[in-house]
Amino acid sequence: VGLVSKPALNGRVVEIGRRVTGGKKAGRYGVEVDGEQYAMKSSNLEADRAGEQAVLEGLVGRPDLNGVAVTVGQLHLAGPHEGRYAIRHAPDGGEVEVLAIRSANLRRLAVGEASTATPSA
């Protein structure tokens, strides 16, 4: 997420290893992508959020959905929606629409915060 020097790695699934403790890479995490090793800042890593209860925020193309509570679905790993999460939304119990939402537009529900989330894909 947000890598400038290696943009081809953005949105890729990685295996996160141990935190680097010494040298100029201290504080970064060792990660493996397709057999290659990298040291990445935690701000460039994002955990899979599938199953998480969240609220949609900051949507420009669909401002009517801002504030809607959802259950986060699977992360798209390839295709036109790569790096976005599948969200199922059924307004007022109507027809279900599947949306592809960036993590930046999902705010985790706080403990005790009311949720009217719809099932996710």
Side-chain angles (χ1 to χ4, degrees):
V1 176
L3 292 173
V4 175
S5 65
K6 301 262 187 219
L9 297 179
N10 289 327
R12 298 289 308 274
V13 175
V14 301
E15 185 170 322
I16 301 172
R18 304 181 112 194
R19 189 169 187 181
V20 179
T21 57
K24 66 183 204 177
K25 302 288 183 179
R28 296 178 183 221
Y29 289 87
V31 300
E32 183 175 324
V33 183
D34 297 333
E36 296 287 326
Q37 301 289 323
Y38 301 93
M40 295 187 184
K41 297 176 188 174
S42 62
S43 61
N44 289 327
L45 298 171
E46 180 177 291
D48 186 0
R49 299 177 67 173
E52 180 180 297
Q53 300 295 300
V55 175
L56 298 175
E57 289 187 333
L59 298 173
V60 176
R62 291 291 307 272
D64 57 305
L65 296 177
N66 288 325
V68 172
V70 297
T71 300
V72 178
Q74 295 299 311
L75 178 64
H76 292 282
L77 299 177
H81 302 300
E82 183 175 353
R84 294 176 183 237
Y85 288 92
I87 304 292
R88 294 169 51 94
H89 174 64
D92 300 322
E95 191 171 326
V96 173
E97 62 180 320
V98 180
L99 309 167
I101 304 293
R102 288 180 283 169
S103 182
N105 296 113
L106 296 165
R107 179 179 54 83
R108 180 177 290 132
L109 279 175
V111 175
E113 189 173 353
S115 170
T116 56
T118 57
S120 295

